[in-house]
Amino acid sequence: MDNLKISIPGKPEYLTMVRLAATSIASMAGFDIEAAEDIKTAVSEACKNVACHGSSGFSTKYEIECNVDKGSIEIIVRDDCDCHTLEKTCKPCLNCPEEGDLGIIVIKTLMDDVEFGRDDSGHKFVKMGKKL
């Protein structure tokens, strides 16, 4: 099994790089272009879910871990900071519903296994898996 980790500043402008990396890793793992695009979209939504903390601001840092094995990929996106200080220029998340969020539905639709939670330190994570 190959393990790749990427640590990302919480700034939204880095999301494009994360999306490209997810697509590349999925392609190298043997997923076809359609499945790689699904994985890219799910990773993008997971990053938003983990890094965006409502009205308090963006996470200053988060991590993407990819575990690639023959015929499968597991991706964990986790909040990796103790404070959320990067100020938002606009605050559309103020009225986001807690349950039924469109991003969560998208992730669950595109991936085979999905888990949302918080680790022992209280950091948010999204763990996703997909098989060929």
Side-chain angles (χ1 to χ4, degrees), residues 29-79:
F31 289 91
D32 64 26
I33 199 104
E34 185 176 325
E37 289 292 315
D38 288 349
I39 291 167
K40 172 184 81 173
T41 300
V43 167
S44 179
E45 291 297 330
C47 289
K48 180 186 180 295
N49 183 279
V50 166
C52 180
H53 290 266
S55 61
S56 62
F58 290 104
S59 174
T60 54
K61 187 170 92 172
Y62 61 101
E63 180 181 271
I64 295 99
E65 179 178 354
C66 299
N67 297 305
V68 181
D69 206 1
K70 199 170 201 173
S72 68
I73 189 168
E74 176 187 73
I75 301 166
I76 304 163
V77 179
R78 70 174 57 89
D79 177 3

Side-chain angles (χ1 to χ4, degrees), residues 10-28:
K11 296 177 180 176
E13 54 266 28
Y14 288 105
L15 190 55
T16 299
M17 190 271 310
V18 171
R19 290 169 54 89
L20 290 170
T23 305
S24 177
I25 293 167
S27 294
M28 290 174 56

Side-chain angles (χ1 to χ4, degrees), residues 52-58 84 86-88 90-95:
C52 180
H53 290 266
S55 61
S56 62
F58 290 104
H84 306 106
L86 291 172
E87 187 177 344
K88 292 183 177 186
C90 61
K91 298 183 180 182
C93 296
L94 288 174
N95 298 314

